[in-house]
Amino acid sequence: MRRRTFFKSIGSNLALILVPKWWRPALAAAPAAQTASLQDLAMVVLPQSLGAKRIAEVTKAFEVWISQFPAGADGGYGYGYPRPTVLGPNPSLHYNDQLKELDAAAAAASGGFAGAGMQARQAIVQAALAQAGVSTIPARPNGKHVATDLMSYFYSSSDGKDFCYNAAIREADCRGLESSGERPAALS
């Protein structure tokens, strides 16, 4: 075994032991009640025209993305930046607390977030976003609020862009040179 490989394996295993629990993803081992709250929140913040099934798929994909978030990984070079960026901590660290706050705000009026009507849930989410100081959807989930992070995840994805433009742009796929001059096909 080479010395470099040996030290890499020791370093990576040691890092797993030394990483504090508060730094690990909060949604990785989400209880069933929290997952239902995230689903209910997704029904409020994602477009209703997606349908319940597609909203559930987007929410599940968001949960998987959060559980696999590579905190501290190389974020690449931005245009005009001489140094690489590094991804910050997992944005889901406060999601549990934020979902509990939404549920507590709804409990006063209707017995919980899931039981509230759509307009009441929208008002609760708007108040929570105002309290968190969120005014725009971030380019990538940043942890300020779970609602905007979920929207950011969807709208920055290839499916989200296809939805916004109502066209099969398929940003992450290669359409090939033969069709590069054609406009993307309409979705509906």
Side-chain angles (χ1 to χ4, degrees), residues 99-138:
L99 290 170
K100 286 177 185 174
E101 288 171 7
L102 290 174
D103 205 37
S110 62
F113 193 74
M118 182 59 81
Q119 289 181 339
R121 286 190 279 174
Q122 289 172 343
I124 291 167
V125 171
Q126 286 175 352
L129 293 176
Q131 183 181 9
V134 177
S135 59
T136 61
I137 298 174

Side-chain angles (χ1 to χ4, degrees), residues 21-115:
K21 287 189 179 197
W22 58 265
W23 194 71
R24 296 179 186 150
L27 276 178
Q34 179 192 332
T35 303
S37 296
L38 191 58
Q39 288 286 345
D40 295 332
L41 178 63
M43 293 299 289
V44 173
V45 298
L46 295 179
Q48 297 297 308
S49 60
L50 288 174
K53 180 182 177 191
R54 185 71 184 116
I55 289 174
E57 290 171 358
V58 169
T59 306
K60 188 65 176 166
F62 177 67
E63 289 175 336
V64 169
W65 182 81
I66 284 294
S67 69
Q68 297 173 353
F69 186 81
D74 181 9
Y77 292 88
Y79 183 76
Y81 295 107
R83 294 194 174 102
T85 57
V86 176
L87 297 180
N90 192 311
S92 70
L93 295 175
H94 302 289
Y95 287 179
N96 285 334
D97 297 333
Q98 292 167 353
L99 290 170
K100 286 177 185 174
E101 288 171 7
L102 290 174
D103 205 37
S110 62
F113 193 74

